[in-house]
Amino acid sequence: MAQERFKSRGGFILACVGAAIGLGDSLRFPGLCAKYGGGTFLLIYMIALVVIGIPILNAEIAIGRKFRAGAPKCMASLNKKTEPLGWASCFNSLGVAVLYAGLLGWIIAMVIKIVPLCKNSTSMTHSEVSSYFFTQTLSETGISPLVLACILCAWVLMFLCLRGGAGSLAKTAKFTVLIPVVLLTFFAVRGLLYENSGEALYALFVPDFSALGDAELWLNAVGQVFFSLSILVGIMPAYGAYLPEKTNVFRDSLIIATADFLVSVLSSVVLFTTLYGCGLQGEISQSGIVTAFMVYPAAISLVFGSGNTVLNSIVGVLFYLSLGMMALQSSVSMIEAAANPLSEKFGFNKKKLVAIISAVGACICVVFASPLASTVLDISDHFLNYFNILILGIAECVILGKYAKTVNLAGEINLYTGRAKMPSKPLVFSLKYLSPVVLSCLTLWGVYHLIFVEGGLYGGYPLWAQVVFGWLLSLFVFASGFIICGFAKMPFRRFPKKKRATP
């Protein structure tokens, strides 16, 4: 891993921002704002970002740079017994990348289908437009050829982005970060031109302080910080290992966190102004899947009026292209977090390894073109992208906090800084105490909802589906770390090279 480097500081920042900016920023964040009092959610989110998110982001990037390695080797460098934790993070990211690849396939399918949808929307009911993707595109009886082809296309794109290492990631980020931001800005300007845009902005930015007593608001706002910044998933240590010499980690971490927050706010402006302008403000959903494939199609068919199908079609294509770019960058970042440590640990050719991962991932993703797609996606996402990240995060934060002074973590963060520095005591407190407590509360709250709250997973899906796509999947992720470490110790893990026969 040490051989690869980002060629410039700008490439590193764009790659990290691309990893952080994903579908959660553009779809889930606005839904949470709508549910929890707009400005109130933003306020709590900003506080959590400063006291929890930024310290962890700094720590992960700095530890990656210090040891010039991904999460497994970083954990092993702190304590050999914690290496399995790093591998579990990597394999969890691989699992989430497969989910994102499936979603990317869906988004590519919507790029194709949004034009006929806009053309036919004038003769369709609102319900038919909203359910178009799940009833007309994603087959209810068998494998959808279109969705399957789009998923395979998604994996080809991911492989092309990954095959060149750090340089390829930086080049890809120039498109997958900058173009979506430009497009989101365009959509926001269009939304602000609606007569009731002021009402939408009021709902988004003006705090409802009565919501401060809602415990779920605090938990969701803090949880969104972890999920939004792509911390605790092995990505940032891997990117930290690629850092150019004399990089100011503290300053760049602030830039990454600020950029991620601003894109989330920009996405919220787009969603609020567009839905208010189209008279669909009552349909803002906390679910990213519902927002992307049910709410937005209905809104896009009305953006320039129900009869202006050409402009609506253009907006629809551009919108889903922007979503696709964000999903693509997030996916490749997650695969990179696992591919490089595996390549380094076992001496695999990285390009071939990425090809194998892409091929296996494409085979698994066939399920996302089937009638089981929504069930598998919902359950797997809830376990991989929520419970696993929280549990892994608790362990990682405790370990980083415990060894922060030993490895002089604050000193590594501040190695090339100017006057603005990361203070050591607040860093240790956030890592060792504050973050584990918050993550533990989020975990307990999630378990309570999973089991007892009506409409949770137990209320909506059969037990066999939860066991297969939830519990067993999580068990595999946590077991993977010990399997990899055990396999690495076996004397036969590498075959000796055959000697040429002497003439």
Side-chain angles (χ1 to χ4, degrees):
M1 182 175 277
Q3 290 84 358
E4 293 190 46
R5 290 285 194 280
F6 288 115
K7 293 182 179 180
S8 67
R9 171 174 166 254
F12 162 71
I13 292 175
L14 277 177
C16 288
V17 171
I21 295 173
L23 300 181
D25 291 58
S26 57
L27 301 174
R28 187 171 184 267
F29 188 96
L32 291 173
C33 286
K35 184 176 181 179
Y36 296 110
T40 312
F41 178 83
L42 292 174
L43 176 63
I44 304 305
Y45 181 90
M46 286 189 290
I47 294 172
L49 182 65
V50 172
V51 300
I52 296 177
I54 291 176
I56 296 177
L57 179 63
N58 272 275
E60 289 197 334
I61 294 174
I63 206 75
R65 182 179 68 179
K66 183 176 181 65
F67 296 112
R68 290 295 178 188
K73 190 172 181 179
C74 287
M75 290 293 105
S77 299
L78 297 175
N79 188 318
K80 291 183 179 180
K81 294 181 179 180
T82 62
E83 184 180 352
L85 173 67
W87 287 113
S89 295
C90 291
F91 275 84
N92 194 70
S93 288
L94 272 181
V96 176
V98 171
L99 300 183
Y100 266 59
L103 285 174
L104 178 55
W106 287 13
I107 292 169
I108 295 172
M110 278 304 297
V111 172
I112 298 170
K113 282 292 190 177
I114 195 64
V115 175
L117 174 59
C118 288
K119 288 182 178 180
N120 298 326
S121 62
T122 54
S123 60
M124 299 167 66
T125 65
H126 174 72
S127 177
E128 288 173 335
V129 174
S130 297
S131 61
Y132 181 82
F133 176 79
F134 293 102
T135 58
Q136 302 297 320
T137 307
L138 190 64
S139 175
E140 296 180 339
T141 57
I143 300 294
S144 168
L146 172 64
V147 176
L148 179 59
C150 291
I151 289 173
L152 295 177
C153 178
W155 278 102
V156 171
L157 289 172
M158 290 161 61
F159 171 73
L160 293 176
C161 294
L162 284 161
R163 63 177 182 172
S168 180
L169 289 168
K171 290 177 182 178
T172 302
K174 291 179 181 179
F175 299 96
T176 57
V177 174
L178 299 179
I179 292 177
V181 169
V182 171
L183 292 175
L184 285 174
T185 303
F186 166 76
F187 300 139
V189 171
R190 173 65 189 103
L192 292 172
L193 294 177
Y194 287 113
E195 292 182 0
N196 61 347
S197 61
E199 183 183 351
L201 295 177
Y202 183 91
L204 174 59
F205 289 111
V206 176
D208 176 11
F209 291 110
S210 64
L212 287 174
D214 187 348
E216 288 192 10
L217 160 65
W218 291 81
L219 290 169
N220 272 303
V222 174
Q224 182 63 22
V225 170
F226 293 107
F227 308 136
S228 181
L229 283 179
S230 291
I231 51 180
L232 308 177
V233 293
I235 295 174
M236 294 306 168
Y239 281 9
Y242 298 154
L243 272 176
E245 294 295 335
K246 298 184 179 180
T247 301
N248 186 329
V249 170
F250 183 62
R251 180 183 59 194
D252 289 355
S253 295
L254 292 178
I255 293 173
I256 294 164
T258 302
D260 178 69
F261 175 68
L262 291 177
V263 171
S264 296
V265 172
L266 180 62
S267 299
S268 300
V269 171
V270 172
L271 181 69
F272 272 67
T273 57
T274 301
L275 295 192
Y276 269 77
C278 296
L280 302 175
Q281 59 267 34
E283 299 189 18
I284 299 178
S285 173
Q286 183 180 341
S287 168
I289 302 299
V290 172
T291 301
F293 300 101
M294 296 183 71
V295 176
Y296 264 124
I300 288 169
S301 66
L302 300 170
V303 167
F304 286 100
S306 59
N308 203 334
T309 58
V310 175
L311 285 178
N312 291 342
S313 298
I314 293 172
V315 168
V317 170
L318 292 177
F319 175 77
Y320 282 104
L321 281 175
S322 67
L323 279 188
M325 289 180 187
M326 287 188 280
L328 175 64
Q329 186 65 37
S330 295
S331 300
V332 298
S333 300
M334 293 173 192
I335 295 176
E336 180 69 18
N340 233 325
L342 283 170
S343 174
E344 185 182 62
K345 183 78 172 180
F346 297 104
F348 297 145
N349 178 283
K350 185 182 173 184
K351 189 174 180 180
K352 292 181 179 178
L353 177 62
V354 169
I356 292 171
I357 291 173
S358 299
V360 173
C363 293
I364 295 172
C365 274
V366 171
V367 72
F368 296 118
S370 75
L372 279 174
S374 297
T375 300
V376 175
L377 183 64
D378 198 9
I379 296 175
S380 299
D381 180 68
H382 201 65
F383 278 82
L384 292 177
N385 217 12
Y386 185 83
F387 287 116
N388 286 14
I389 288 178
L390 294 177
I391 295 170
L392 290 168
I394 293 168
E396 180 183 313
C397 288
V398 169
I399 293 166
L400 288 175
K402 181 178 180 181
Y403 294 100
K405 293 183 179 179
T406 305
V407 298
N408 191 18
L409 188 55
E412 181 66 29
I413 294 171
N414 297 323
L415 192 59
Y416 300 106
T417 58
R419 293 181 179 180
K421 296 180 181 292
M422 170 65 74
S424 177
K425 290 184 178 179
L427 174 67
V428 173
F429 177 78
S430 180
L431 292 173
K432 194 173 183 179
Y433 302 106
L434 183 59
S435 295
V437 168
V438 171
L439 289 166
S440 298
C441 291
L442 280 166
T443 304
L444 294 174
W445 177 72
V447 171
Y448 171 78
H449 272 251
L450 181 69
I451 299 174
F452 298 109
V453 177
E454 185 179 355
L457 289 181
Y458 278 116
Y461 299 107
L463 182 60
W464 71 266
Q466 298 170 54
V467 171
V468 174
F469 303 120
W471 297 108
L472 289 180
L473 190 58
S474 285
L475 180 62
F476 170 76
V477 166
F478 288 105
S480 65
F482 297 98
I483 294 172
I484 291 293
C485 291
F487 185 72
K489 294 178 181 178
M490 294 180 181
F492 54 83
R493 66 182 177 88
R494 290 183 183 177
F495 294 98
K497 294 181 179 180
K498 293 181 179 180
K499 295 181 179 180
R500 290 184 178 181
T502 54

